[in-house]
Amino acid sequence: MPPLTVHHLQVSQSERIPWLCEELGIEYELKLYKRSPMLAPPEYKALHPAGSAPTIQDGELTLAESAACVEYICHKFGNGKLFVKPSAPNYADFLYWFHSANGTLQPGLSRGNMIKLSGIDVTKNQILTLFQERAMATVKMVDTRLKDNDYLAGDELTAADILSMWSFTDMRFWYPYSLEEYPNIQRYIKRISQREAYKKAMSKAEPDLKLALDIEPPKPFFAPS
Ligand SMILES: N[C@@H](CCC(=O)N[C@@H](CS)C(=O)NCC(=O)O)C(=O)O
């Protein structure tokens, strides 16, 4: 039995972790959980006080929060692979895109999703309109970055990409936006979705899902009643 257990909640940002493990070539046990109906089921919530996906376990340790899980696994099991060393010329680029992925990009889109689920007419509220504009401005920034770079930190895939990819793909089951205006993100998605590790991870984590890899978003996964 491998020491590392990855708890994946259906159609959630925890899909990042099996993908990471496949990129690192490490063994892990994958446990799958269905949503009930929108949030994580009680047995998932019981894993960690945060009750959020992803959650991983390594022996006695239980850890949540995507970036913490990614950093822990890369250093504990992957010899620091997919992290950029301080001596490398693209170190600051890596830090920026690694942290902005979950510090700005993902929270911005999540906020947009909450607003949408609440059913509020955003066009009638200046603050909410501002939130949504800001969220899409971060997507635009990524698109600009990817114009001359195959991956966020430069020529090679890093942990910054592992954290970011979800925001342009399956996140759109929750916050449906088109990629029409983001041609470089479209190419990025194509590039990553052809990686063996990505394909292998998604076939294990989301075996029944047609992934949101197209330009237009999929039908929402959950519609509030
Ligand atoms: N910043 C956190 C966010 C975690 C988060 O909100 N995860 C969502 C899945 S996308 C979740 O757990 N939703 C189910 C629930 O709240 O019950 C992270 O990156 O781990």
Side-chain angles (χ1 to χ4, degrees), residues 5-18 29-36 38-57 62-66 69 73 205-206:
T5 303
V6 176
H7 298 272
H8 172 57
L9 174 67
Q10 184 184 34
V11 194
S12 85
Q13 52 198 294
S14 58
E15 67 173 40
R16 294 159 163 164
I17 310 301
E29 185 186 359
L30 183 62
K31 293 199 171 158
L32 304 181
Y33 300 77
K34 295 245 181 262
R35 290 184 180 256
S36 75
M38 181 181 91
L39 298 179
E43 63 273 25
Y44 200 107
K45 294 226 163 272
L47 292 168
H48 186 279
S52 63
T55 295
I56 61 170
Q57 284 175 315
T62 302
L63 186 64
E65 197 59 52
S66 302
C69 296
I73 293 171
E206 295 290 354

